[in-house]
Amino acid sequence: MNNFHKKSDITKPIPALDFSDVSLTFNGPRGPINILRNVNLQVSGGETIGIVGPSGSGKTTMLMVAAGLEKTSAGNITVSGQNYKYLGEDGLAQFRRDNIGIVFQSFYLIPTMTALENVALPLELAQKPNAFKIAEHQLSTVGLEDRAYHYPKQLSGGEQQRVALARAFGPNPNILLADEPTGNLDRKTGSKIVELLFEMHSQHKTTLLLITHDIKLAERCNRVIYISDGYVSEH
C-alpha cells in the first residue's frame, strides 16, 4: 500500500477571506439601491489586494462587509474559516477583535488617551495580560517610542496614522483592512506611511486589503480588484 494521494484527497488551504455571491441592497425613496452585486472573491492568507474604483462605487462598503460591520443582503462571507452568518452581534465583535485590524483615512484616535493608551486599548479589551508591553513594542516598531505619552492633538497627522497602524497591528490580526490610509496626509508623509504599512504586513504575514485611488499603489499588491457600480472584476 503506497502513501500517495490523489489530487482530490489533498486538502486545500482555507482562504483568509471568501466572498460568495455577496450582495448588499438598500431601500431608497426611489427604489432599491444596489451597493454590492454578486461579489465573488477569494483571498489567500498573506496575500495583498489593492481595491480601486470611483467614489461611491462600493469600495468602503466592501471593507465594512468584510469586517462584519455591515450585514449583507445575500451571499456568504467566510473569514479564516468562520462564516459570518453563524455569528450574532456579540460573536462578530469578538471575532473582529481577535482577527481583524482596521485602518481608516481618519485616524479615530481617542483624544483623551495617550498614544500608548490608544494602542493598548484593543489589547486590554482582548484581556491580554501584557497589553502595555505589546503596545510599547508596536510604537517602537513605527518609530514613536519617544511619543508614547503624547496625546493625539500633540502629534502630526503622519504620527497619528502611525499610532493607528500600531493599534491595528497590535493584536496581530489575520486580516488588515486599510481604507485610504494616506488620504488625509501630504504626499511625502503618505509615502512613508505606505512603506511602513507594507513593511508591517511583511513582518506580521497579515492578509491585506487596501483601498486606494492611486493605481500605482494598488499595483504594489499581489492583485488589483476593480469595483464599479457594485460589480467587482480583476484585471
Side-chain angles (χ1 to χ4, degrees):
M1 183 175 179
N2 62 51
N3 293 320
F4 292 99
H5 298 278
K6 297 178 181 179
K7 283 187 177 181
S8 59
D9 294 332
I10 299 173
T11 303
K12 293 182 179 180
I14 297 173
L17 175 66
D18 187 357
F19 277 62
S20 179
D21 295 321
V22 170
S23 294
L24 178 61
T25 302
F26 294 135
N27 291 319
R30 297 185 179 180
I33 301 172
N34 298 303
I35 309 298
L36 296 176
R37 305 172 189 251
N38 300 317
V39 175
N40 288 283
L41 175 67
Q42 283 195 346
V43 182
S44 301
E47 194 174 10
T48 56
I49 303 293
I51 303 175
V52 296
S55 297
S57 60
K59 301 187 301 297
T60 295
T61 300
M62 190 172 174
L63 286 200
M64 297 291 278
V65 166
L69 290 168
E70 188 73 63
K71 289 185 178 181
T72 61
S73 303
N76 290 306
I77 294 177
T78 303
V79 175
S80 300
Q82 175 63 62
N83 192 320
Y84 280 177
K85 73 178 181 180
Y86 298 119
L87 296 176
E89 289 299 324
D90 290 343
L92 279 169
Q94 183 174 340
F95 182 82
R96 186 165 49 247
R97 180 196 72 191
D98 296 336
N99 294 277
I100 298 175
I102 308 176
V103 178
F104 296 100
Q105 179 174 333
S106 298
F107 318 122
Y108 291 118
L109 301 180
I110 298 175
T112 57
M113 288 185 170
T114 64
L116 181 63
E117 290 170 332
N118 267 282
V119 177
L121 181 60
L123 297 163
E124 289 188 298
L125 292 174
Q127 299 182 338
K128 300 286 186 182
N130 54 345
F132 277 86
K133 185 176 181 180
I134 296 173
E136 287 175 352
H137 172 73
Q138 290 300 324
L139 282 176
S140 176
T141 299
V142 300
L144 288 179
E145 60 271 24
D146 61 339
R147 307 287 268 168
Y149 296 99
H150 289 70
Y151 292 92
K153 67 180 181 180
Q154 298 172 312
L155 303 173
S156 68
E159 288 172 332
Q160 290 186 62
Q161 192 62 297
R162 280 193 274 166
V163 173
L165 281 176
R167 179 181 59 188
F169 277 105
N172 198 26
N174 295 323
I175 296 179
L176 184 78
L177 307 175
D179 188 357
E180 292 283 0
T182 63
N184 283 339
L185 305 173
D186 62 75
R187 183 178 295 274
K188 183 178 180 180
T189 304
S191 295
K192 291 180 180 178
I193 292 296
V194 166
E195 295 305 321
L196 183 58
L197 174 63
F198 278 97
E199 181 182 328
M200 294 182 76
H201 156 264
S202 180
Q203 291 174 356
H204 288 259
K205 309 300 181 186
T206 302
T207 303
L208 172 65
L209 270 68
L210 170 65
I211 287 179
T212 178
H213 282 97
D214 185 346
I215 186 62
K216 290 184 179 180
L217 173 55
E219 288 175 344
R220 290 186 58 173
C221 297
N222 300 130
R223 285 192 285 158
V224 178
I225 300 298
Y226 295 84
I227 183 166
S228 180
D229 196 28
Y231 290 105
V232 166
S233 61
E234 185 174 350
H235 295 273

